mmCIF file of all heavy atoms in Angstrom:
data_model
loop_
_atom_site.group_PDB
_atom_site.id
_atom_site.type_symbol
_atom_site.label_atom_id
_atom_site.label_comp_id
_atom_site.label_asym_id
_atom_site.label_seq_id
_atom_site.Cartn_x
_atom_site.Cartn_y
_atom_site.Cartn_z
ATOM 1 N N PHE C 96 7.963 122.726 -62.078
ATOM 2 C CA PHE C 96 9.284 122.318 -62.415
ATOM 3 C C PHE C 96 9.667 122.818 -63.887
ATOM 4 O O PHE C 96 10.856 123.178 -64.102
ATOM 5 C CB PHE C 96 9.406 120.763 -62.404
ATOM 6 C CG PHE C 96 9.518 120.205 -61.109
ATOM 7 C CD1 PHE C 96 8.537 119.357 -60.560
ATOM 8 C CD2 PHE C 96 10.644 120.409 -60.298
ATOM 9 C CE1 PHE C 96 8.597 118.752 -59.360
ATOM 10 C CE2 PHE C 96 10.781 119.835 -59.006
ATOM 11 C CZ PHE C 96 9.724 119.025 -58.569
ATOM 12 N N ASP C 97 8.679 122.974 -64.707
ATOM 13 C CA ASP C 97 8.927 123.494 -66.053
ATOM 14 C C ASP C 97 9.454 124.945 -65.941
ATOM 15 O O ASP C 97 10.315 125.408 -66.731
ATOM 16 C CB ASP C 97 7.662 123.502 -66.874
ATOM 17 C CG ASP C 97 7.182 122.135 -67.255
ATOM 18 O OD1 ASP C 97 7.992 121.186 -67.091
ATOM 19 O OD2 ASP C 97 5.984 121.992 -67.572
ATOM 20 N N ARG C 98 8.952 125.725 -65.013
ATOM 21 C CA ARG C 98 9.204 127.148 -64.836
ATOM 22 C C ARG C 98 10.453 127.317 -63.923
ATOM 23 O O ARG C 98 10.815 128.490 -63.735
ATOM 24 C CB ARG C 98 8.010 127.843 -64.306
ATOM 25 C CG ARG C 98 6.833 127.721 -65.264
ATOM 26 C CD ARG C 98 5.671 128.465 -64.748
ATOM 27 N NE ARG C 98 4.484 128.242 -65.598
ATOM 28 C CZ ARG C 98 3.264 128.274 -65.178
ATOM 29 N NH1 ARG C 98 2.940 128.420 -63.905
ATOM 30 N NH2 ARG C 98 2.272 128.099 -65.958
ATOM 31 N N GLY C 99 10.854 126.220 -63.178
ATOM 32 C CA GLY C 99 11.943 126.396 -62.289
ATOM 33 C C GLY C 99 11.499 127.154 -60.991
ATOM 34 O O GLY C 99 12.377 127.675 -60.244
ATOM 35 N N GLU C 100 10.240 127.056 -60.719
ATOM 36 C CA GLU C 100 9.685 127.736 -59.479
ATOM 37 C C GLU C 100 9.737 126.808 -58.291
ATOM 38 O O GLU C 100 8.753 126.223 -57.927
ATOM 39 C CB GLU C 100 8.222 128.211 -59.799
ATOM 40 C CG GLU C 100 8.143 129.195 -60.939
ATOM 41 C CD GLU C 100 6.663 129.460 -61.297
ATOM 42 O OE1 GLU C 100 5.760 128.782 -60.809
ATOM 43 O OE2 GLU C 100 6.423 130.282 -62.171
ATOM 44 N N LEU C 101 10.889 126.772 -57.614
ATOM 45 C CA LEU C 101 11.086 125.860 -56.552
ATOM 46 C C LEU C 101 10.261 126.219 -55.278
ATOM 47 O O LEU C 101 9.866 125.336 -54.575
ATOM 48 C CB LEU C 101 12.550 125.779 -56.192
ATOM 49 C CG LEU C 101 13.465 125.103 -57.291
ATOM 50 C CD1 LEU C 101 14.867 124.996 -56.857
ATOM 51 C CD2 LEU C 101 12.873 123.734 -57.728
ATOM 52 N N GLU C 102 9.931 127.501 -55.152
ATOM 53 C CA GLU C 102 9.050 127.918 -54.048
ATOM 54 C C GLU C 102 7.647 127.271 -54.170
ATOM 55 O O GLU C 102 7.023 126.844 -53.253
ATOM 56 C CB GLU C 102 8.998 129.309 -53.826
ATOM 57 C CG GLU C 102 10.204 129.951 -53.215
ATOM 58 C CD GLU C 102 10.580 129.312 -51.831
ATOM 59 O OE1 GLU C 102 9.640 129.156 -50.977
ATOM 60 O OE2 GLU C 102 11.757 128.859 -51.655
ATOM 61 N N THR C 103 7.150 127.285 -55.410
ATOM 62 C CA THR C 103 5.848 126.683 -55.719
ATOM 63 C C THR C 103 5.954 125.169 -55.563
ATOM 64 O O THR C 103 5.072 124.550 -55.058
ATOM 65 C CB THR C 103 5.421 127.061 -57.243
ATOM 66 O OG1 THR C 103 5.410 128.490 -57.361
ATOM 67 C CG2 THR C 103 4.082 126.504 -57.522
ATOM 68 N N VAL C 104 7.037 124.582 -56.029
ATOM 69 C CA VAL C 104 7.224 123.109 -55.783
ATOM 70 C C VAL C 104 7.174 122.872 -54.348
ATOM 71 O O VAL C 104 6.559 121.873 -53.883
ATOM 72 C CB VAL C 104 8.543 122.713 -56.380
ATOM 73 C CG1 VAL C 104 9.017 121.308 -55.983
ATOM 74 C CG2 VAL C 104 8.598 122.810 -57.985
ATOM 75 N N ARG C 105 7.858 123.696 -53.493
ATOM 76 C CA ARG C 105 7.870 123.429 -52.107
ATOM 77 C C ARG C 105 6.467 123.445 -51.475
ATOM 78 O O ARG C 105 6.080 122.593 -50.664
ATOM 79 C CB ARG C 105 8.739 124.427 -51.330
ATOM 80 C CG ARG C 105 8.839 124.208 -49.855
ATOM 81 C CD ARG C 105 9.759 125.201 -49.120
ATOM 82 N NE ARG C 105 9.792 124.847 -47.740
ATOM 83 C CZ ARG C 105 10.678 124.142 -47.104
ATOM 84 N NH1 ARG C 105 11.727 123.642 -47.878
ATOM 85 N NH2 ARG C 105 10.677 123.888 -45.843
ATOM 86 N N LYS C 106 5.636 124.437 -51.953
ATOM 87 C CA LYS C 106 4.230 124.521 -51.480
ATOM 88 C C LYS C 106 3.471 123.267 -51.894
ATOM 89 O O LYS C 106 2.668 122.721 -51.084
ATOM 90 C CB LYS C 106 3.573 125.825 -52.014
ATOM 91 C CG LYS C 106 4.063 127.048 -51.332
ATOM 92 C CD LYS C 106 3.481 128.275 -51.997
ATOM 93 C CE LYS C 106 4.169 129.554 -51.464
ATOM 94 N NZ LYS C 106 3.678 130.777 -52.062
ATOM 95 N N GLU C 107 3.633 122.831 -53.131
ATOM 96 C CA GLU C 107 2.848 121.640 -53.564
ATOM 97 C C GLU C 107 3.339 120.402 -52.826
ATOM 98 O O GLU C 107 2.549 119.586 -52.401
ATOM 99 C CB GLU C 107 3.109 121.474 -55.108
ATOM 100 C CG GLU C 107 2.409 122.572 -55.963
ATOM 101 C CD GLU C 107 2.770 122.478 -57.346
ATOM 102 O OE1 GLU C 107 3.694 121.606 -57.771
ATOM 103 O OE2 GLU C 107 2.108 123.179 -58.241
ATOM 104 N N ALA C 108 4.629 120.362 -52.588
ATOM 105 C CA ALA C 108 5.204 119.256 -51.874
ATOM 106 C C ALA C 108 4.659 119.223 -50.468
ATOM 107 O O ALA C 108 4.399 118.108 -49.897
ATOM 108 C CB ALA C 108 6.692 119.273 -51.849
ATOM 109 N N ASP C 109 4.550 120.380 -49.865
ATOM 110 C CA ASP C 109 4.076 120.477 -48.515
ATOM 111 C C ASP C 109 2.626 119.956 -48.355
ATOM 112 O O ASP C 109 2.245 119.277 -47.441
ATOM 113 C CB ASP C 109 4.216 121.912 -48.015
ATOM 114 C CG ASP C 109 4.121 122.034 -46.441
ATOM 115 O OD1 ASP C 109 4.586 121.112 -45.812
ATOM 116 O OD2 ASP C 109 3.550 123.038 -45.944
ATOM 117 N N ARG C 110 1.791 120.300 -49.353
ATOM 118 C CA ARG C 110 0.404 119.797 -49.393
ATOM 119 C C ARG C 110 0.411 118.276 -49.579
ATOM 120 O O ARG C 110 -0.448 117.594 -48.901
ATOM 121 C CB ARG C 110 -0.321 120.455 -50.563
ATOM 122 C CG ARG C 110 -0.710 121.865 -50.322
ATOM 123 C CD ARG C 110 -1.523 122.327 -51.509
ATOM 124 N NE ARG C 110 -1.902 123.831 -51.338
ATOM 125 C CZ ARG C 110 -2.239 124.530 -52.298
ATOM 126 N NH1 ARG C 110 -2.393 124.074 -53.544
ATOM 127 N NH2 ARG C 110 -2.563 125.830 -52.073
ATOM 128 N N LEU C 111 1.238 117.794 -50.444
ATOM 129 C CA LEU C 111 1.247 116.353 -50.672
ATOM 130 C C LEU C 111 1.824 115.644 -49.370
ATOM 131 O O LEU C 111 1.322 114.549 -49.022
ATOM 132 C CB LEU C 111 2.115 116.039 -51.871
ATOM 133 C CG LEU C 111 2.117 114.621 -52.442
ATOM 134 C CD1 LEU C 111 0.677 114.234 -52.834
ATOM 135 C CD2 LEU C 111 3.055 114.546 -53.662
ATOM 136 N N PHE C 112 2.799 116.232 -48.759
ATOM 137 C CA PHE C 112 3.391 115.654 -47.571
ATOM 138 C C PHE C 112 2.410 115.469 -46.458
ATOM 139 O O PHE C 112 2.417 114.485 -45.654
ATOM 140 C CB PHE C 112 4.576 116.562 -47.086
ATOM 141 C CG PHE C 112 5.337 116.094 -45.886
ATOM 142 C CD1 PHE C 112 6.083 114.987 -45.932
ATOM 143 C CD2 PHE C 112 5.197 116.732 -44.654
ATOM 144 C CE1 PHE C 112 6.755 114.533 -44.849
ATOM 145 C CE2 PHE C 112 5.838 116.328 -43.568
ATOM 146 C CZ PHE C 112 6.585 115.183 -43.642
ATOM 147 N N GLU C 113 1.471 116.387 -46.363
ATOM 148 C CA GLU C 113 0.452 116.370 -45.306
ATOM 149 C C GLU C 113 -0.482 115.093 -45.502
ATOM 150 O O GLU C 113 -1.031 114.619 -44.492
ATOM 151 C CB GLU C 113 -0.396 117.636 -45.225
ATOM 152 C CG GLU C 113 0.340 118.808 -44.757
ATOM 153 C CD GLU C 113 -0.544 120.094 -44.807
ATOM 154 O OE1 GLU C 113 -1.741 119.971 -45.105
ATOM 155 O OE2 GLU C 113 0.072 121.186 -44.626
ATOM 156 N N LEU C 114 -0.593 114.640 -46.677
ATOM 157 C CA LEU C 114 -1.410 113.530 -47.032
ATOM 158 C C LEU C 114 -0.756 112.162 -46.827
ATOM 159 O O LEU C 114 -1.381 111.150 -46.900
ATOM 160 C CB LEU C 114 -1.964 113.613 -48.420
ATOM 161 C CG LEU C 114 -2.787 114.839 -48.868
ATOM 162 C CD1 LEU C 114 -3.033 114.877 -50.276
ATOM 163 C CD2 LEU C 114 -4.097 114.888 -48.010
ATOM 164 N N HIS C 115 0.546 112.251 -46.563
ATOM 165 C CA HIS C 115 1.311 110.965 -46.449
ATOM 166 C C HIS C 115 2.119 110.935 -45.136
ATOM 167 O O HIS C 115 3.307 111.212 -45.171
ATOM 168 C CB HIS C 115 2.205 110.739 -47.667
ATOM 169 C CG HIS C 115 1.491 110.640 -48.924
ATOM 170 N ND1 HIS C 115 0.954 109.409 -49.280
ATOM 171 C CD2 HIS C 115 1.077 111.564 -49.902
ATOM 172 C CE1 HIS C 115 0.257 109.507 -50.425
ATOM 173 N NE2 HIS C 115 0.279 110.812 -50.794
ATOM 174 N N PRO C 116 1.495 110.452 -44.053
ATOM 175 C CA PRO C 116 2.226 110.384 -42.815
ATOM 176 C C PRO C 116 3.336 109.381 -42.790
ATOM 177 O O PRO C 116 4.214 109.387 -41.924
ATOM 178 C CB PRO C 116 1.099 109.953 -41.820
ATOM 179 C CG PRO C 116 0.058 109.352 -42.623
ATOM 180 C CD PRO C 116 0.121 110.094 -43.972
ATOM 181 N N GLU C 117 3.373 108.436 -43.776
ATOM 182 C CA GLU C 117 4.480 107.469 -43.878
ATOM 183 C C GLU C 117 5.820 108.067 -44.339
ATOM 184 O O GLU C 117 6.820 107.465 -44.188
ATOM 185 C CB GLU C 117 4.067 106.279 -44.795
ATOM 186 C CG GLU C 117 4.046 106.586 -46.249
ATOM 187 C CD GLU C 117 2.593 107.130 -46.673
ATOM 188 O OE1 GLU C 117 1.808 107.559 -45.899
ATOM 189 O OE2 GLU C 117 2.414 107.169 -47.866
ATOM 190 N N TRP C 118 5.633 109.268 -44.909
ATOM 191 C CA TRP C 118 6.911 109.922 -45.367
ATOM 192 C C TRP C 118 7.571 110.653 -44.197
ATOM 193 O O TRP C 118 6.947 111.310 -43.468
ATOM 194 C CB TRP C 118 6.634 110.971 -46.460
ATOM 195 C CG TRP C 118 6.051 110.391 -47.745
ATOM 196 C CD1 TRP C 118 5.932 109.091 -48.076
ATOM 197 C CD2 TRP C 118 5.600 111.228 -48.782
ATOM 198 N NE1 TRP C 118 5.498 108.974 -49.367
ATOM 199 C CE2 TRP C 118 5.173 110.260 -49.828
ATOM 200 C CE3 TRP C 118 5.431 112.509 -49.058
ATOM 201 C CZ2 TRP C 118 4.654 110.720 -50.988
ATOM 202 C CZ3 TRP C 118 4.886 112.963 -50.308
ATOM 203 C CH2 TRP C 118 4.494 112.063 -51.265
ATOM 204 N N ARG C 119 8.923 110.568 -44.134
ATOM 205 C CA ARG C 119 9.637 111.253 -43.067
ATOM 206 C C ARG C 119 9.819 112.711 -43.466
ATOM 207 O O ARG C 119 9.762 113.553 -42.656
ATOM 208 C CB ARG C 119 11.027 110.562 -42.924
ATOM 209 C CG ARG C 119 11.818 111.147 -41.770
ATOM 210 C CD ARG C 119 13.040 110.449 -41.470
ATOM 211 N NE ARG C 119 13.711 111.050 -40.389
ATOM 212 C CZ ARG C 119 14.985 111.064 -40.229
ATOM 213 N NH1 ARG C 119 15.749 110.527 -41.133
ATOM 214 N NH2 ARG C 119 15.502 111.669 -39.158
ATOM 215 N N THR C 120 10.050 112.895 -44.752
ATOM 216 C CA THR C 120 10.224 114.246 -45.290
ATOM 217 C C THR C 120 9.988 114.177 -46.792
ATOM 218 O O THR C 120 9.778 113.132 -47.320
ATOM 219 C CB THR C 120 11.586 114.941 -44.933
ATOM 220 O OG1 THR C 120 11.622 116.304 -45.270
ATOM 221 C CG2 THR C 120 12.749 114.245 -45.596
ATOM 222 N N PHE C 121 10.226 115.292 -47.467
ATOM 223 C CA PHE C 121 10.129 115.404 -48.916
ATOM 224 C C PHE C 121 11.367 116.215 -49.343
ATOM 225 O O PHE C 121 11.518 117.314 -48.857
ATOM 226 C CB PHE C 121 8.767 115.983 -49.344
ATOM 227 C CG PHE C 121 8.552 116.031 -50.810
ATOM 228 C CD1 PHE C 121 7.765 115.084 -51.411
ATOM 229 C CD2 PHE C 121 9.214 116.936 -51.676
ATOM 230 C CE1 PHE C 121 7.474 114.981 -52.795
ATOM 231 C CE2 PHE C 121 8.992 116.926 -53.020
ATOM 232 C CZ PHE C 121 8.148 115.961 -53.607
ATOM 233 N N ILE C 122 12.070 115.649 -50.298
ATOM 234 C CA ILE C 122 13.321 116.362 -50.717
ATOM 235 C C ILE C 122 13.325 116.458 -52.246
ATOM 236 O O ILE C 122 12.931 115.575 -52.984
ATOM 237 C CB ILE C 122 14.525 115.520 -50.275
ATOM 238 C CG1 ILE C 122 14.534 115.314 -48.787
ATOM 239 C CG2 ILE C 122 15.860 116.167 -50.733
ATOM 240 C CD1 ILE C 122 15.498 114.264 -48.235
ATOM 241 N N VAL C 123 13.784 117.571 -52.677
ATOM 242 C CA VAL C 123 14.059 117.839 -54.202
ATOM 243 C C VAL C 123 15.631 118.049 -54.298
ATOM 244 O O VAL C 123 16.095 118.843 -53.526
ATOM 245 C CB VAL C 123 13.252 119.042 -54.721
ATOM 246 C CG1 VAL C 123 13.674 119.270 -56.175
ATOM 247 C CG2 VAL C 123 11.789 118.859 -54.499
ATOM 248 N N THR C 124 16.203 117.369 -55.228
ATOM 249 C CA THR C 124 17.632 117.544 -55.406
ATOM 250 C C THR C 124 18.004 117.827 -56.847
ATOM 251 O O THR C 124 17.165 117.541 -57.741
ATOM 252 C CB THR C 124 18.403 116.211 -55.036
ATOM 253 O OG1 THR C 124 18.171 115.240 -56.081
ATOM 254 C CG2 THR C 124 18.031 115.636 -53.677
ATOM 255 N N ASP C 125 19.155 118.346 -56.984
ATOM 256 C CA ASP C 125 19.787 118.409 -58.399
ATOM 257 C C ASP C 125 20.703 117.207 -58.420
ATOM 258 O O ASP C 125 20.538 116.286 -57.598
ATOM 259 C CB ASP C 125 20.415 119.749 -58.710
ATOM 260 C CG ASP C 125 21.592 120.033 -57.799
ATOM 261 O OD1 ASP C 125 22.047 119.139 -57.065
ATOM 262 O OD2 ASP C 125 22.105 121.179 -57.862
ATOM 263 N N GLU C 126 21.679 117.196 -59.284
ATOM 264 C CA GLU C 126 22.484 116.015 -59.461
ATOM 265 C C GLU C 126 23.409 115.814 -58.227
ATOM 266 O O GLU C 126 23.840 114.727 -57.991
ATOM 267 C CB GLU C 126 23.340 116.180 -60.721
ATOM 268 C CG GLU C 126 24.101 114.896 -61.103
ATOM 269 C CD GLU C 126 24.746 114.985 -62.476
ATOM 270 O OE1 GLU C 126 24.641 115.937 -63.147
ATOM 271 O OE2 GLU C 126 25.455 113.984 -62.790
ATOM 272 N N HIS C 127 23.705 116.877 -57.498
ATOM 273 C CA HIS C 127 24.670 116.719 -56.398
ATOM 274 C C HIS C 127 24.212 117.019 -55.030
ATOM 275 O O HIS C 127 24.842 116.565 -54.056
ATOM 276 C CB HIS C 127 25.851 117.664 -56.759
ATOM 277 C CG HIS C 127 26.462 117.446 -58.075
ATOM 278 N ND1 HIS C 127 27.265 116.300 -58.329
ATOM 279 C CD2 HIS C 127 26.377 118.123 -59.167
ATOM 280 C CE1 HIS C 127 27.654 116.312 -59.591
ATOM 281 N NE2 HIS C 127 27.123 117.432 -60.141
ATOM 282 N N ARG C 128 23.153 117.793 -54.861
ATOM 283 C CA ARG C 128 22.806 118.263 -53.515
ATOM 284 C C ARG C 128 21.237 118.495 -53.437
ATOM 285 O O ARG C 128 20.539 118.637 -54.414
ATOM 286 C CB ARG C 128 23.568 119.551 -53.165
ATOM 287 C CG ARG C 128 23.186 120.656 -54.161
ATOM 288 C CD ARG C 128 23.972 121.906 -53.871
ATOM 289 N NE ARG C 128 23.855 122.921 -54.955
ATOM 290 C CZ ARG C 128 22.844 123.785 -54.986
ATOM 291 N NH1 ARG C 128 21.938 123.825 -53.987
ATOM 292 N NH2 ARG C 128 22.703 124.611 -55.958
ATOM 293 N N PRO C 129 20.801 118.492 -52.168
ATOM 294 C CA PRO C 129 19.341 118.850 -51.971
ATOM 295 C C PRO C 129 19.068 120.311 -52.141
ATOM 296 O O PRO C 129 19.822 121.180 -51.804
ATOM 297 C CB PRO C 129 19.142 118.405 -50.552
ATOM 298 C CG PRO C 129 20.452 118.391 -49.892
ATOM 299 C CD PRO C 129 21.456 118.150 -50.863
ATOM 300 N N LEU C 130 17.941 120.601 -52.858
ATOM 301 C CA LEU C 130 17.576 121.967 -53.062
ATOM 302 C C LEU C 130 16.387 122.393 -52.178
ATOM 303 O O LEU C 130 16.314 123.540 -51.681
ATOM 304 C CB LEU C 130 17.082 122.204 -54.499
ATOM 305 C CG LEU C 130 18.138 121.859 -55.547
ATOM 306 C CD1 LEU C 130 17.597 121.894 -56.962
ATOM 307 C CD2 LEU C 130 19.374 122.683 -55.448
ATOM 308 N N ILE C 131 15.519 121.385 -51.830
ATOM 309 C CA ILE C 131 14.408 121.579 -50.992
ATOM 310 C C ILE C 131 14.386 120.332 -50.003
ATOM 311 O O ILE C 131 14.545 119.259 -50.504
ATOM 312 C CB ILE C 131 13.060 121.648 -51.720
ATOM 313 C CG1 ILE C 131 13.071 122.819 -52.568
ATOM 314 C CG2 ILE C 131 11.934 121.669 -50.770
ATOM 315 C CD1 ILE C 131 11.828 122.872 -53.540
ATOM 316 N N ASN C 132 14.169 120.620 -48.708
ATOM 317 C CA ASN C 132 13.924 119.508 -47.785
ATOM 318 C C ASN C 132 12.809 120.026 -46.850
ATOM 319 O O ASN C 132 13.078 120.994 -46.049
ATOM 320 C CB ASN C 132 15.195 119.095 -47.055
ATOM 321 C CG ASN C 132 14.981 118.013 -46.086
ATOM 322 O OD1 ASN C 132 13.885 117.709 -45.660
ATOM 323 N ND2 ASN C 132 16.061 117.301 -45.749
ATOM 324 N N LEU C 133 11.722 119.497 -46.829
ATOM 325 C CA LEU C 133 10.595 119.952 -45.951
ATOM 326 C C LEU C 133 10.926 119.813 -44.468
ATOM 327 O O LEU C 133 10.261 120.443 -43.630
ATOM 328 C CB LEU C 133 9.260 119.240 -46.285
ATOM 329 C CG LEU C 133 8.714 119.436 -47.656
ATOM 330 C CD1 LEU C 133 7.345 118.705 -47.799
ATOM 331 C CD2 LEU C 133 8.558 120.913 -47.975
ATOM 332 N N GLY C 134 11.917 119.038 -44.183
ATOM 333 C CA GLY C 134 12.412 118.955 -42.817
ATOM 334 C C GLY C 134 13.308 120.136 -42.396
ATOM 335 O O GLY C 134 13.559 120.239 -41.208
ATOM 336 N N SER C 135 13.643 120.952 -43.322
ATOM 337 C CA SER C 135 14.470 122.127 -43.029
ATOM 338 C C SER C 135 13.649 123.377 -43.290
ATOM 339 O O SER C 135 12.791 123.411 -44.249
ATOM 340 C CB SER C 135 15.681 122.192 -43.906
ATOM 341 O OG SER C 135 16.506 121.084 -43.709
ATOM 342 N N PRO C 136 13.778 124.498 -42.510
ATOM 343 C CA PRO C 136 12.976 125.631 -42.756
ATOM 344 C C PRO C 136 13.383 126.251 -44.087
ATOM 345 O O PRO C 136 14.447 126.223 -44.544
ATOM 346 C CB PRO C 136 13.279 126.588 -41.557
ATOM 347 C CG PRO C 136 14.614 126.001 -41.041
ATOM 348 C CD PRO C 136 14.722 124.617 -41.391
#
Side-chain angles (χ1 to χ4, degrees):
F96 284 115
D97 295 342
R98 299 178 185 151
E100 297 172 357
L101 293 182
E102 284 306 312
T103 303
V104 169
R105 183 179 182 94
K106 288 176 187 174
E107 291 174 351
D109 199 33
R110 284 184 184 162
L111 192 57
F112 180 71
E113 289 176 12
L114 299 173
H115 294 279
E117 70 274 14
W118 294 354
R119 183 171 185 217
T120 189
F121 186 98
I122 303 167
V123 178
T124 72
D125 64 11
E126 190 171 358
H127 304 287
R128 62 187 171 82
L130 304 172
I131 297 172
N132 183 336
L133 295 184
S135 302

